[in-house]
Amino acid sequence: MSSVNRVNSVNDMKQRYDVVVVGGGAAGLGGALALSRARRSVLVIDAGDPRNAPASHVHNYLGREGTPPAELTAIGRAEVAGYGGEIVRGGVVSAERLPGDEGFRVVTEDGSAVVARRLLVTTGIVDDLPPVPGLAERWGREVLHCPYCHGSEVADRPIGVLSTGPLSVHQALMWRQWSDDVTLFRHTGPEFGDEEYEQLAARGIAVVDGEVTGLEITDDRLTGLRLAGGRVVAREVVVVQPRFTARSAVLESLGLVPVAQEAAGHVIGSYIAADPSGATEVPGVWAAGNVTNLMEQLIGAANAGLRAAVAINADLIADDTRRAVEARRAGSGVVIG
């Protein structure tokens, strides 16, 4: 294996970097690529558990439509390494600000530590699925949530939408764009209003009462949803609404607190607040991708990583300039003020 494609071990890390990127998905690699091209010393620490691992292909990524997720990650790693960026496999357990302007100490699971002048955290989110037996095992295959990610691949198939919150009618109406055979299962969700029933009826979406207790699988394929009374409704795809939970432990160790995101009065997840460049409330710390935007898709996450990288490099340039001016003044004996 060439050195460009090699992923280093934690033991290969240097002691100090301009930027440490925590998370090696699209946002992390997008930021690391721009920073490496800007001639910054960059370390990416990747836990190796990407959110899109269950998916067979990525979509809506211009120029890479249909690429397997692992292949896209390998391409990104090679590009980062090609410009001198370093990538290690491992998890980060915490980060702390060092005294003065010395940056941050980043600690990994094995107790190793490095110092970074700036941090870019791209740890993503976790999809917490409804507690129905069998859903997790089919996640990313026939159990889906985003029609823009998977709708085209299951178009015209019998789709079931599992209601667990107030967004289920919206989901059903949205997925109706990809199939004329959509059934909305009431499950544990709230009662629908008259206007919602009228919308569903107008779009030909059937409603099934009762709680879903499991999936029917035949020859390793989803064939239906089983209700509490034993009835099985034939379906080939089931749509769910996960709760999106930010992987925010590293950011929380720096004092940042996750923010709850609501939709229709229902909490759908948590994220870390950041400005459009990804800058958080902690100076020197940026975040990008799903950890700060629950609805970001892959190509948007890569772009968010790029935006953060540009902001980080600008901040480092300002810091480099300040240090250079101080050194020049000290060398010349000039005293200002």
Side-chain angles (χ1 to χ4, degrees):
M1 184 179 294
S2 71
S3 60
V4 168
N5 293 312
R6 181 172 64 90
V7 177
N8 299 326
S9 70
V10 171
N11 293 330
D12 292 328
M13 297 188 303
K14 297 183 294 189
Q15 294 303 303
R16 185 177 178 85
Y17 294 85
D18 287 327
V19 184
V20 167
V21 180
V22 184
L29 292 174
L33 179 60
L35 288 162
S36 298
R37 283 175 50 82
R39 310 183 77 177
R40 295 296 178 184
S41 59
V42 178
L43 173 68
V44 178
I45 305 177
D46 182 18
D49 55 350
R51 180 191 182 201
N52 63 0
S56 58
H57 301 89
V58 303
H59 299 289
N60 301 313
Y61 201 117
L62 187 63
R64 294 292 180 182
E65 171 65 26
T67 302
E71 181 180 331
L72 185 65
T73 298
I75 292 169
R77 287 175 174 170
E79 291 174 348
V80 171
Y83 286 99
E86 298 179 29
I87 305 170
V88 299
R89 177 63 58 83
V92 173
V93 295
S94 65
E96 61 178 342
R97 180 183 290 280
L98 296 173
D101 57 359
E102 292 304 307
F104 303 87
R105 183 173 181 266
V106 180
V107 181
T108 61
E109 290 173 332
D110 70 346
S112 300
V114 294
V115 173
R117 295 174 64 191
R118 301 293 184 270
L119 290 181
L120 173 56
V121 180
T122 63
T123 42
I125 57 177
V126 174
D127 298 295
D128 295 321
L129 303 180
V132 175
L135 283 183
E137 291 77 9
R138 317 301 293 188
W139 178 237
R141 298 173 60 184
E142 301 109 334
V143 178
L144 310 171
H145 83 286
C146 173
Y148 298 102
C149 303
H150 304 285
S152 183
E153 284 61 50
V154 298
D156 301 321
R157 293 167 62 183
I159 296 172
V161 178
L162 194 66
S163 176
T164 55
L167 298 178
S168 60
V169 171
H170 168 74
Q171 277 189 303
L173 293 170
M174 187 163 53
W175 278 88
R176 179 61 178 78
Q177 176 68 23
W178 282 266
S179 175
D180 60 6
D181 186 358
V182 176
T183 297
L184 178 54
F185 291 78
R186 282 280 315 281
H187 190 50
T188 60
E191 177 61 85
F192 308 142
D194 291 342
E195 184 177 354
E196 290 176 313
Y197 273 116
E198 183 179 28
Q199 292 172 343
L200 294 168
R203 293 291 281 156
I205 298 171
V207 176
V208 173
D209 291 326
E211 187 172 343
V212 174
T213 58
L215 309 183
E216 288 291 311
I217 307 297
T218 303
D219 296 328
D220 197 32
R221 296 188 64 182
L222 174 67
T223 56
L225 300 184
R226 185 171 61 254
L227 299 174
R231 177 189 172 196
V232 174
V233 180
R235 296 288 91 183
E236 295 180 8
V237 178
V238 57
V239 172
V240 300
Q241 175 59 65
R243 181 185 174 101
F244 307 117
T245 303
R247 292 172 170 170
S248 55
V250 175
L251 292 163
E252 290 183 59
S253 71
L254 290 161
L256 293 167
V257 178
V259 178
Q261 180 160 331
E262 294 188 1
H266 179 71
V267 176
I268 64 170
S270 64
Y271 67 97
I272 296 294
D275 75 9
S277 77
T280 70
E281 292 179 354
V282 176
V285 178
W286 277 256
N290 286 134
V291 72
T292 189
N293 184 342
L294 301 182
M295 302 304 171
E296 193 77 271
Q297 293 197 36
L298 202 66
I299 194 167
N303 184 50
L306 169 61
R307 289 199 307 271
V310 170
I312 290 169
N313 191 53
D315 191 48
L316 286 170
I317 288 172
D319 188 50
D320 291 339
T321 303
R322 177 185 62 79
R323 291 172 183 264
V325 168
E326 290 175 353
R328 183 174 185 275
R329 289 173 179 172
S332 65
V334 174
V335 177
I336 305 295

